[in-house]
Amino acid sequence: CSKSVKKIGIKPIAGNEMYVINGNISRNYKRSQLSKYHQIVLALSEHGYKNLVKLTTLSHLNGWQGSGAFGRPCISKGLLFKYKKDIIITSACLGGEICQNLLDKNLTYAKKVANWYKNNFEAFFFLELQDHGHREDRAVNMNILKISEESRIKLISTNDSHFTMDRDVEAHDTLLCIQTGKPFDEPGRMRYSGTEFLKSSIEMKNMYRDHVTSNKIHSALKSTINVSQKAKNYSIWAEITIPKFQMPQEYKNFTLDEFLGFLGFQGLTKILLEKFENNIDIPQINSNPKMPIIKIKYKKYYERLAYELQSIKSMGFSTYFLVVWDFIYFARNNNVPIGSGRGSVAGSLVAYSLGITSIDPIENGLLFERFLNPARKSMPDIDTDFSIDGRDMIIEYVSMRYGQEKVAQIITFNRLTSKSILKDMGRSARRENPLIEKMSDLIPISRGKPLNLESMISKESPVQDFRKIYLKNEDLKNIIDKAINFEGMNKTTAVHAAGIVISSRKLDEVVPLTRGTRGEVMTQYPMEDVEYLGLLKIDFLGLKNLSMMESVINFVNYRFNNQILTLDSSCLQPHFDINTFNLLTRKDLDGIFQLDASKGMRDIVSEMRPSSIQDISSILALYRPGPLDTGLIPRFIKRKRKVLLYKFDYPELKQTLVETYGILIYQEQIMKVAQELGGYSMSQADILRRAMGKKKISEMRTQEKIFIEGCINNSLEKVAGRQIFNQMLGFAEYCFNKSHSTAYAFTTYQTAWLKSHWPVEFFSSLMSVNLTDFEKIEKYMHQAASVGIFVRKPEINDCDVFFFPDYSKNNENFVNFGLGSIKSVGEIAASIIITDRKIFGGFNNLSEVVNRLIKKQWVSKKLIETLIVCGCLDKIGGEKKRKRILLSLDKIIEWMNRTQKIKYIHQPLLLDLNSLKKENQNLINPPKPLVIEINSEQIYLANNLTGIVGINSFLLNQTEPIMLLGAIYSISFGLIEPDDYDLPYIVKNRDSIQKLSSALAKIEKIKIIKNNRDIHDFLIIAYILEIQEYTTFSKKKVLKVIFEDLNGIATTLMFEKTTDKLSTNKQMKNGDLIKIKNNLFPGDLFLGSALNDEQIFGSRKLKLSWMAPINGYQIILITVSAQKMNCFSVHLLLRLNLIINSYFSNYNYDLVHLVININGENRGEMITTNLSILESDSNIILKLIQKLGFECSLFKLNPL
């Protein structure tokens, strides 16, 4: 900012409006004890800027007074005096101490405060005149004039500037409403007068004419100019300085350059011996008799190392490399997982030798000059990936190594996006929420970001419905027109995900500091400005994938009670592993680093069929906007799979482009072509690459001339040189950094290898690192189930905080649920429960849970209710239903409170202890449970707490499927063994089979109906959330039933009917309200036959022809794999549904229903159909479906 204003002749003056208190900032005062006053502080020089930064930092780190919306960073007058050199103090606005006392009509104390500032700051203290149109301004100004005359303190004329132009007043008011969360029309909300804009000199002169004399106005304005003149032309920008590296004691006689060379040579030799000579035990490298032979054998490695070390030395970056090596060395010694590399540093052999990267740049064709160009001195940028926990450890180490006052994290600003600003504007305008939500949902996400509003309302809008509603709805149009002005503005602050700064001097002399939400110290300037200040910025990125890989390796080593696997194991180094590449080809990419981002990426991986680390690197380089938009990827895939034959236009390009099938996709390829054909040095080739990326016409002409001349010197024709140059120029716009894509391809391969060889450990770790992302947990559970790995329902005595493999006997394919993943429980509460269990042993009954957790106030009653609803206490609850356990919990807590009260008041017992003991005994050994209605709060607690949803046929046979269809209670399934499908059985039922066969013969003549659910009844399995009863004007009863199934919450209306033929058997028809009320309650599961009515803004309305409790019902479950399905099989199932339903629709008995369970890649989809068949014919249907090639089973449903 200061650089920009200097260019147009404006002198920048750094300043801050602070809060000052009359007390010690280290003490936390109550609001009623101490007032916080506004205070303006301006810096007149570089030294003044340092003092300003110091004061700002002290207020944020040590002086925070109050909490929440009333918390403010404060300084004291003593600190102002201590750091007063080269700063100016003014009396501030109506919020200043002097003005506040004048508003309280305490002129005497106001004079006393003014004189204190005058005596301590002399000519550097000024009294402010302001007028924003408030009555208070005039009253204060008259007294300010008196104090100025009596105490001889100069005046300055100021005006608050909350927005730049007067026309911005409405926009500012809108932002104020968004910030405070208040509607525009709310009376008494915070407002400004509208005069708080940047005023001209004439506007400032006319501002006080009604109550201040012309002489005083002129004097105040002149003093304002004098303040500006007092400020020096200083700059806070500086060259980056690297913190001092402290040499280890045993190498204190080395220079920094010598020590770096020693580490590089030693590291490279060790790598070469381990990698190529299989010599792991290296006692002393220098004394190794093989050293002369090794140096000759691997001459190109040592020559390149020497070249890189000389380049680093000449550019003065040895210290920087040693600083990075130091914390990498610490990380490796402390078993902190480190990424293979990130960015262009993977092209450096020095970085590889020091252990900073794990990529051999020579073996992978990576270039040092892409990272550090000796011909163009610029600060190298080495970014490093660590595991999540490891990152915190490294930051702490760096802070201790260089001093906590010299290390901080970096702030970042979250900006208003089209989706968020639209919702904020809607709330402030009190507009109907469903419409705003719908408009927000219509905004597509393009490569991770919502599309901007201008694109959404343009004629070329990708969502024309959005544009139509915008044009038709005038209120909405006004909201969107205003919202466009706010897109991209800063909204909130956060800690940068990766960046930290390391300074050679104390940070509070360079940049103001503050604290993040977790108490971490961070800069108040963003990343770009921090670098301009001369601070060294390094990215420490915490990768969940590295944490997951660490967890997988730990599980494997624990399983075999031996360290058989590490991140550096040879099996984890990229090689051709058939299982790994088969996993990638079949799109089994959940949890695979960089490849599980989107469906588009999955499709590309599957089509490309990668078979090498180079193929994975190419995928990462190609899946970006440029190649996607130009159709480069399909061409690359066809060439890779030899579907499209190709040839090199010039044989000279073959060596460089052979690994990418003749297509330029890497920046390093441009550099190599320039070197090999154009005669460039690598340093010159890097300059050419940068120039092509920027596409400056004048520079391109110069470079084209140089390149063509080089081609001619290498025996190429001028025409060929021009064609190659133009080809390079065309591809340069979206060519990618090969060093980065190769390094990330290594991590991609490692995660894929772990998943293909250790799937149970992989899924346990994958779900653990995504512990609170319930959508991902659900997806990963289903994906694990599709490969035969199943998650057990949570049990308080078996689970841990995180997911972990079950290594008990014959349970190799099971994962124990993580308690921390249950909604409303979380990691902290789960840790408390698990710690208590490990110290005091498992929980034997509900009373122990209450006494050990609730009584000690470790966790709340509501949390225990959540655990009960999820089934965590099923084993210790005996045969009781969860409804019964919930009621028992209340009784035990009541008993505990009564006994606790008696214990504390030391009074004689007025209760019948025998009855109490008897009651408690009944809780431990309850009678046969009764059906008890559950309240809506408990239903809410149960709703999707664990994320385990959907039916899986293996789970139906083996375990209880938790939260089926998002329901409050699980359904237990008992497998009905069908009769043997032998010949006598078929002969016995020949008539039924013939009838069915004749019906099936009509299949081909029936038209397939698209979206079958919209026009036909379908079976629904759901649970009831609420039942509401109404009476119409005609005195008829109406029941509104709110329920939930896999597709979300839905409602249905049941109207009272007077017909005699209402319900038969178990099914209760729509008009039979009395029977429905008496048999179905909130929390109950039911079967029903439904028809889609309408869906408005996500709210579903269904018409139910009948509904019934699930008890005793049977279903046929057909399990189909989505990978094996084709259009024919889907159509066949739909046709089967239509035909068989028409055949059996006339029966009026208890029937069996058909459910189709499709196992997809990410989750399952259960298709409930309208098929109903007689129980006596169920085995025939089973046989028929199996003959058609589908897996199916018959199950009987019983409530728990």
Side-chain angles (χ1 to χ4, degrees), residues 163-173:
F163 42 96
T164 308
M165 309 295 290
D166 56 355
R167 63 173 178 268
D168 297 330
V169 60
E170 187 178 359
H172 176 261
D173 193 49

Side-chain angles (χ1 to χ4, degrees), residues 917-935:
K917 290 179 181 178
K918 186 177 180 181
E919 182 179 339
N920 190 40
Q921 187 67 27
N922 288 336
L923 294 177
I924 299 172
N925 302 302
K928 190 175 180 180
L930 303 173
V931 177
I932 301 170
E933 184 177 346
I934 192 169
N935 62 50

Side-chain angles (χ1 to χ4, degrees), residues 212 335 573:
V212 181
N335 299 317
Q573 305 311 307

Side-chain angles (χ1 to χ4, degrees), residues 255-313:
T255 64
L256 293 172
D257 295 330
E258 291 171 344
F259 186 55
L260 180 65
F262 167 75
L263 292 175
F265 173 80
Q266 188 182 52
L268 177 62
T269 304
K270 183 179 179 181
I271 289 170
L272 293 175
L273 288 172
E274 291 178 354
K275 186 174 181 180
F276 299 113
E277 303 294 327
N278 296 321
N279 187 352
I280 298 175
D281 297 323
I282 311 169
Q284 288 293 329
I285 288 175
N286 292 327
S287 60
N288 193 318
K290 292 185 179 179
M291 278 308 301
I293 301 173
I294 291 171
K295 286 186 177 180
I296 295 171
K297 190 174 181 180
Y298 304 106
K299 182 180 178 181
K300 62 180 179 180
Y301 278 90
Y302 286 101
E303 286 182 347
R304 173 146 170 189
L305 180 67
Y307 163 72
E308 289 190 16
L309 286 169
Q310 180 58 39
S311 299
I312 293 168
K313 177 182 175 180

